[in-house]
Amino acid sequence: MAGRRLLLVVQRYGADVVGGSEQHARLVAQRLAQRHIVEVATTTALDYWTWAPHYAAGDDFLDGIHVRRFAVRSGRDPEFKAFEHHVLEEEHHVADELAWPRRQGPDCPELLEFLHARGRDYDAVLFYTYIYAPTALGLPIVPERAALISTAHDEYPLRLAPYRALFHLPRAIGYLTPEERAMVHARFHNEQVPDEVLGYALGDAPAGDVAGFRARHGITGPYVLYLGQVSEGKGCDELLAEWIAHRERGGAPDETLVLAGTLRMEIPDRPDVRALGRVSEADKAGALAGALALVQPSRLESLGIVLFEAWQHGTPVLVPAANLVTTGQTARAAAGRSYRDGELGLALDALRPERDTYGASGRAFVERECSFSAFDDRLERLVEATVGA
């Protein structure tokens, strides 16, 4: 089975691209390239909202992998928020739903033309992620050799017309978690499509310099960490409301909520809330290692990569019960607690005395489930299912 020619299609790709799906795609390309001939087809965009050109169009190389970058003809429609409200909240025509991928972007016709002209040169074509145009419009061009790594979660766009057939078309599907697979099966009844639950893989955790992190940012005392894009879309508004309510009830009087990541929303001016902006990899490791707990408030995730990273450092996690993916992930690892709306403080109080036990369980889970050898085996099974006999 070694030596297949594989193409990975993804909306953004680069060392400075921040995004869970794109991070997973780069890891998969790196791992598969150790056994196969791998190329990547992507766009010139860096920012997922504007899709503005950032990289040069043409051939590029990253991690020794040939990356083909295609120009974006148009980014996200400037009126997309109004269009989104119309499609998701109001009566509309099916033509509106069919227009969703192009209006959301990235609209990249040259990438689609490449798939038409050259897609069958590859033994298998792996597509990330279901919602964006390169996959929604590209996978139907080469369904007989396609694998879909959908990174899907239970959001309203999943119900739209462009995606109803998409989950029946590929030769195989790579899900990130058992919860994603169960959700997709329940919605699309596509159990006939072979699949593999891929999970994730991590190398050795970087050393966490907790004292250095604290000194650089002036953080004293225990803290709860959020790591990621600081936005309403990631649940940070709900996190802040939960935290403030907990403090006003007298909880965690000496603790701080630390938010580390790109700021895309207003943060209240409070001594018990610190917004650091985007941090270095060294600070990220130190922040994770020193946290009382990592909180991941998003309700819409197909995989909590940051949970694995926290567990590597022996740090437990708090996740909303409404997110079945991260709740299931946390329960399988026995490495944290889930909380219902309004009960973050109660979950934190229950976690505190068991922190080290939860952290040790998380570390053992990552060592067992996130090794490169285990991940590579899962990837090989996905490729085999895609290529077929």
Side-chain angles (χ1 to χ4, degrees):
M1 185 61 198
R4 298 288 189 178
R5 190 175 181 201
L6 308 178
L7 178 69
L8 191 151
V9 178
V10 63
Q11 62 275 357
R12 300 182 297 161
Y13 194 86
D16 48 354
V17 170
V18 177
S21 296
E22 293 88 349
Q23 185 178 343
H24 198 277
R26 188 178 172 197
L27 172 66
V28 166
Q30 291 169 337
R31 300 311 302 175
L32 287 174
Q34 300 200 18
R35 303 187 187 185
H36 304 281
I37 302 167
V38 175
E39 296 179 12
V40 174
T42 188
T43 73
T44 55
L46 174 64
D47 183 82
Y48 80 97
W49 185 258
T50 65
W51 305 112
H54 174 81
Y55 301 101
D59 293 334
D60 192 5
F61 288 87
L62 180 63
D63 306 316
I65 296 170
H66 184 186
V67 180
R68 300 175 182 271
R69 299 191 185 277
F70 298 91
V72 175
R73 180 171 65 183
S74 59
R76 193 178 298 251
D77 187 331
E79 302 299 321
F80 183 74
K81 293 303 293 184
F83 173 74
E84 180 182 52
H85 175 77
H86 172 63
V87 172
L88 301 186
E89 306 291 341
E90 301 173 344
E91 289 189 15
H92 58 272
H93 297 291
V94 69
D96 295 323
E97 297 188 14
L98 294 172
W100 178 282
R102 291 191 188 278
R103 294 192 65 171
Q104 178 181 234
D107 182 13
C108 192
E110 291 182 0
L111 194 161
L112 302 181
E113 291 168 6
F114 175 79
L115 290 172
H116 273 293
R118 303 280 301 280
R120 289 167 181 81
D121 294 346
Y122 300 91
D123 296 301
V125 185
L126 284 63
F127 287 87
Y128 282 79
T129 70
Y130 91 90
I131 199 169
Y132 292 120
T135 289
L137 304 180
L139 190 152
I141 297 171
V142 287
E144 77 286 352
R145 66 196 61 235
L148 172 63
I149 296 91
S150 57
T151 70
H153 41 257
D154 194 10
E155 57 184 344
Y156 193 95
L158 191 65
R159 300 159 171 78
L160 300 181
Y163 311 118
R164 291 175 197 155
L166 187 68
F167 285 83
H168 292 269
L169 289 177
R171 290 289 301 270
I173 298 179
Y175 297 109
L176 302 191
T177 65
E179 291 78 18
E180 181 192 4
R181 177 169 62 182
M183 183 273 295
V184 169
H185 284 176
R187 175 149 302 281
F188 296 109
H189 305 289
N190 64 335
E191 292 86 350
Q192 80 284 355
V193 181
D195 62 64
E196 184 70 28
V197 175
L198 298 176
Y200 197 65
L202 291 169
D204 294 336
D209 180 4
V210 178
F213 166 73
R214 287 182 177 276
R216 282 188 291 274
H217 297 282
I219 296 172
T220 59
Y223 62 92
V224 175
L225 176 68
Y226 168 79
L227 184 61
Q229 183 188 108
V230 182
S231 68
E232 291 91 343
K234 291 297 185 180
C236 291
D237 52 341
E238 296 176 348
L239 169 60
L240 285 164
E242 292 256 13
W243 178 261
I244 292 169
H246 181 51
R247 289 300 299 266
E248 290 178 348
R249 290 193 296 266
D254 61 340
E255 294 173 5
T256 302
L257 175 63
V258 174
L259 308 169
T262 303
L263 292 174
R264 295 188 182 273
M265 60 179 283
E266 292 293 323
I267 305 299
D269 184 9
R270 296 172 55 95
D272 59 324
V273 175
R274 292 287 311 279
L276 307 182
R278 190 171 176 183
V279 298
S280 67
E281 288 299 310
D283 272 352
K284 175 182 173 180
L288 285 169
L292 171 64
L294 173 86
V295 59
Q296 201 340 343
S298 174
R299 297 169 182 259
L300 296 175
E301 297 293 330
S302 54
L303 180 68
I305 295 174
V306 72
L307 306 189
F308 296 137
E309 294 173 332
W311 294 335
Q312 274 195 312
H313 291 280
T315 298
V317 302
L318 293 164
V319 297
N323 189 325
L324 298 181
V325 169
T326 54
T327 293
Q329 188 176 334
T330 301
R332 283 191 296 278
R337 299 184 69 92
S338 63
Y339 60 90
R340 293 190 291 270
D341 291 350
E343 296 184 356
L344 171 64
L346 294 176
L348 178 58
D349 290 342
L351 177 145
R352 200 177 287 108
E354 301 294 330
R355 180 196 183 279
D356 291 345
T357 300
Y358 283 132
S361 181
R363 184 180 282 116
F365 180 85
V366 170
E367 290 174 355
R368 182 175 67 251
E369 297 294 330
C370 299
S371 69
F372 285 130
S373 61
F375 187 65
D376 290 346
D377 288 345
R378 296 191 292 263
L379 288 178
E380 285 303 309
R381 290 196 292 269
L382 179 67
V383 171
E384 291 174 8
T386 306
V387 174

